[in-house]
Amino acid sequence: MTDYRSKIFNAVKDVLPVEYADVAVSDAFCDYCIPCFKLAKSLRKSPAIIASEAANAVKIDGVEVTALNGYLNFTVDRKSRIADVLNARLGDYKPFDGKTVCIDYSSVNIAKPFHIGHLMTTVIGGSLHKIYRALGANVAGINHLGDFGTQFGGLISAYRKWGDGKDLDARGLDALLELYVRFHKEEEEHPELADEARGWSKKIEDGDPYAVGLFEKFKAITLEQAKAVYRRLNIEFDSYLGESFYVDKVDGVEKKLRAKNLLEMSDGAEIVVLDNDDGQNGKNGEKMPPALIRRSDGASLYIARDLAAAYYRHDTYDFYKCLYVVASHQALHFKQLFKVLELLGESWAEDMVHVSYGMVSVEGMSLSTRRGNVLYLNDVLNAAVEKAADIIEERNPSLADKSSVAEAVGVGAVVFDALYDGRLKDKNFSLADALNFDGETGPYVQYTHARCRSVLAKAGYKSGAENVDADVLATDEAYEVVKLLADFDDTVYSAAVKYEPSFVSRRLVKICQAFNRFYNADRIMCGGKEQTARLELTARVADALKYGLGLVLLKAPEKM
């Protein structure tokens, strides 16, 4: 498929000092435009004059170039673009071919339930995994398990005091959660329990068979539940190496820090003093605090294990990018992590990215595992599936295999809702809004896909007909669909480089809205060349929706 943005950029860059990102998709007077306002100061001309002179100088085959009110506008020849879309296939664009992208996401904590608070990291990371892979990258999905710390010693202590093996086998994480919450409540009244927890934690580190055996059992129970949720979400991982894997690799990090004279002692602790170029890291002008590598008691800290993990990933994968999909409140930690690597002289530090996101709540209620106020993600998914089943029963009671469709729609509604807004926005999840078949939702996209498949099935039509008359699809309604399909590969690429799956989900909704306008304006089952052309466009929409839904983790039912 012709990449018109690149074609336009390559033609304009010899005339104006512009960047690729300056070429914007337009829905108004043209197909693409370049605003010339920011060029006025450097070129010492008005935006209108800059645009007008450029319009006279730039020549692009199949593209009309005009100027209007300081904008350089580009209108692609409709017939050429229609033919281009009909002759191309989505998914052939592979800009990251041969490059490896590591994505650290979900990262569940051992012995804690998979709750709604894990939703954003899991689905953002899972979607980026599929997006990068679709664009040709070798992707390493990493679940950096939280499997190290005194809390596990506390859990062993709680299990020995109040636990029961049969109850643990029967109820799994529910039993572990009760022990976890009870221990922390008891600890508030009996501070000496903290010493007991540290003692058991030390036994885990030292390889005590009893302590390690219990911990491994807690870990197996946790992963069993987590993997069941991942299967429902269409999520996959290539590595489950957790914090504990990197504990014995911290010594190697310390050697590197000493070699660069970066390690300092502060009250018996090992630290790395950090100093940004501007000496600041926040809007309020606060200085970046030092990175604490080891406590005075010799225990390594989280950032030390993250440094060891970074070296391991670089040596193992030789990554092009290493992404950390972690909530925005951890921003300082990643600034420190990347800064230490920069001070160590690692050029690849600039290839590491904190993909942050806002917090999630349900009907305004924030979540806290420590206080026992937990909403399991599986319970949310089950509620969504049950509600979807009721809606499907009402809308199409004769639908075959309603249970699997309800699962796809219900789970998909939760995921799509999480991926529809920009990732930095805080999310207040509403089941009713997510399952609205007429809104900007997953069910709306899935239903439009099913509508396309239904039309094609009734017509007995298979995509790929020859000699489609492009003129038939030159109507405003049909061409709007064509434009959205033509730019879909570019949208997926933008989602990758901006680490923003919402670009894909929002484009899917736009395609559905445009298709439904086309469906109502241009009669499809009308016979002759008109029917063939409109069915071909319908087939391309169906394929695009299925492809895009897969990128944001949703299934595309054939019937709904």
Side-chain angles (χ1 to χ4, degrees):
M1 192 177 297
T2 303
D3 182 357
Y4 282 101
R5 284 186 75 182
S6 294
K7 191 174 182 180
I8 290 168
F9 169 68
N10 289 329
V12 175
K13 69 179 182 180
D14 295 330
V15 176
L16 294 176
V18 296
E19 299 177 355
Y20 177 79
D22 295 326
V23 184
V25 176
S26 175
D27 294 325
F29 305 103
C30 55
D31 297 320
Y32 300 90
C33 69
I34 297 177
C36 298
F37 304 97
K38 73 175 186 178
L39 303 175
K41 184 176 180 179
S42 61
L43 298 181
R44 297 184 178 183
K45 297 178 182 178
S46 72
I49 292 176
I50 294 171
S52 180
E53 290 179 349
N56 291 327
V58 174
K59 305 298 179 184
I60 307 173
D61 291 340
V63 180
E64 180 185 8
V65 186
T66 58
L68 179 66
N69 299 329
Y71 286 85
L72 187 60
N73 296 330
F74 307 89
T75 302
V76 180
D77 175 69
R78 285 197 177 191
K79 189 170 183 179
S80 298
R81 199 172 203 186
I82 292 166
D84 196 32
V85 168
L86 295 180
N87 291 327
R89 289 293 183 273
L90 284 171
D92 289 343
Y93 182 47
K94 305 293 182 186
F96 299 112
D97 191 28
K99 297 178 179 179
T100 296
V101 177
C102 294
I103 310 178
D104 179 331
Y105 58 106
S106 196
S107 301
V108 295
N109 292 314
I110 299 305
K112 289 186 180 180
F114 201 126
H115 62 72
I116 191 70
H118 295 119
L119 176 65
M120 297 302 291
T121 173
T122 303
V123 299
I124 291 171
S127 180
L128 289 174
H129 188 289
K130 294 188 182 298
I131 287 169
Y132 271 102
R133 190 167 64 184
L135 294 172
N138 300 313
V139 185
I142 300 170
N143 198 322
H144 187 69
L145 301 175
D147 62 356
F148 184 79
T150 57
Q151 67 267 34
F152 302 115
L155 192 59
I156 290 177
S157 177
Y159 178 76
R160 284 171 55 82
K161 293 178 184 298
W162 312 299
D164 178 83
K166 291 182 179 179
D167 183 50
L168 183 61
D169 291 338
R171 296 196 300 127
L173 268 186
D174 288 337
L176 286 178
L177 179 62
E178 287 181 8
L179 292 172
Y180 179 85
V181 173
R182 182 173 179 179
F183 184 85
H184 285 286
K185 286 182 177 179
E186 293 284 343
E187 188 182 19
E188 292 175 358
E189 298 181 9
H190 303 282
E192 66 274 10
L193 287 175
D195 292 331
E196 190 172 316
R198 281 190 287 271
W200 281 109
S201 179
K202 184 69 164 58
K203 288 185 178 183
I204 295 175
E205 290 183 52
D206 293 342
D208 177 80
Y210 177 77
V212 172
L214 274 180
F215 174 67
E216 289 298 328
K217 184 170 185 176
F218 299 159
K219 186 173 181 177
I221 290 172
T222 306
L223 285 178
E224 181 182 11
Q225 190 220 46
K227 288 181 179 180
V229 177
Y230 292 141
R231 285 192 292 272
R232 297 188 77 179
L233 295 174
N234 195 20
I235 294 287
E236 55 192 308
F237 292 97
D238 304 283
S239 169
Y240 283 92
L241 295 179
E243 281 188 80
S244 61
F245 177 79
Y246 301 102
V247 173
D248 64 359
K249 297 172 177 57
V250 172
D251 287 347
V253 171
E254 288 177 305
K255 289 180 181 178
K256 294 177 185 293
L257 292 169
R258 288 194 185 95
K260 292 284 187 178
N261 295 316
L262 293 173
L263 267 187
E264 297 184 18
M265 300 302 295
S266 176
D267 296 327
E270 293 180 346
I271 66 170
V272 176
V273 176
L274 304 177
D275 185 17
N276 279 347
D277 294 337
D278 59 2
Q280 299 177 355
N281 78 299
K283 293 181 180 179
N284 298 323
E286 71 273 18
K287 291 185 177 180
M288 188 184 294
L292 184 57
I293 305 300
R294 283 195 190 273
R295 293 195 310 240
S296 58
D297 63 2
S300 65
L301 275 295
Y302 189 69
I303 194 168
R305 299 188 291 276
D306 261 6
L307 286 165
Y311 275 104
Y312 178 85
R313 292 170 189 177
H314 178 262
D315 295 343
T316 302
Y317 299 107
D318 189 25
F319 54 73
Y320 160 73
K321 293 289 182 183
C322 183
L323 313 182
Y324 295 82
V325 186
V326 182
S328 55
H329 68 265
Q330 293 292 327
L332 175 59
H333 169 78
F334 287 103
K335 288 178 181 178
Q336 291 178 309
L337 175 66
F338 302 159
K339 187 65 179 180
V340 172
L341 289 168
E342 179 187 327
L343 293 173
L344 281 165
E346 306 299 354
S347 60
W348 45 270
E350 65 183 20
D351 300 324
M352 305 178 75
V353 181
H354 175 205
V355 180
S356 61
Y357 57 88
M359 303 307 293
V360 63
S361 60
V362 179
E363 302 295 346
M365 181 181 68
S366 295
L367 302 168
S368 170
T369 302
R370 185 175 295 275
R371 296 299 176 186
N373 183 18
V374 178
L375 182 58
Y376 284 20
L377 181 55
N378 238 350
D379 290 341
V380 175
L381 298 180
N382 290 339
V385 171
E386 183 178 347
K387 179 66 174 176
D390 291 341
I391 296 172
I392 291 169
E393 181 65 35
E394 181 180 341
R395 294 170 67 105
N396 190 1
S398 62
L399 178 67
D401 200 14
K402 283 183 282 191
S403 61
S404 64
V405 174
E407 173 75 10
V409 173
V411 172
V414 175
V415 174
F416 196 89
D417 186 73
L419 295 178
Y420 190 67
D421 293 319
R423 56 181 165 80
L424 292 175
K425 291 183 64 176
D426 288 343
K427 185 69 185 174
N428 183 15
F429 178 74
S430 166
L431 188 60
D433 291 343
L435 279 165
N436 183 353
F437 275 59
D438 298 316
E440 298 173 356
T441 65
Y444 172 67
V445 178
Q446 289 171 317
Y447 182 74
T448 303
H449 169 265
R451 167 180 272 185
C452 291
R453 297 299 185 195
S454 176
V455 169
L456 295 169
K458 288 179 181 178
Y461 186 82
K462 294 183 179 179
S463 180
E466 298 180 359
N467 301 319
V468 174
D469 190 339
D471 288 337
V472 174
L473 302 177
T475 65
D476 289 344
E477 290 80 9
Y479 189 63
E480 183 62 27
V481 177
V482 169
K483 287 201 300 180
L484 291 168
L485 294 179
D487 289 330
F488 201 12
D489 276 335
D490 188 62
T491 298
V492 176
Y493 175 78
S494 296
V497 297
K498 297 293 185 181
Y499 319 113
E500 189 58 270
S502 68
F503 287 5
V504 176
S505 52
R506 288 184 172 271
R507 173 52 65 97
L508 290 173
V509 168
K510 283 188 175 183
I511 291 173
C512 290
Q513 292 170 336
F515 173 78
N516 286 316
R517 286 191 293 268
F518 157 71
Y519 180 86
N520 291 321
D522 296 351
R523 186 173 172 226
I524 295 176
M525 305 300 290
C526 58
K529 65 179 183 180
E530 288 82 5
Q531 177 172 309
T532 299
R534 290 167 186 166
L535 284 170
E536 183 64 17
L537 182 58
T538 300
R540 296 309 170 88
V541 169
D543 291 344
L545 295 181
K546 183 175 182 178
Y547 172 66
L549 283 167
L551 296 180
V552 291
L553 309 175
L554 273 68
K555 295 180 179 178
E558 297 282 314
K559 298 179 180 179
M560 283 177 61

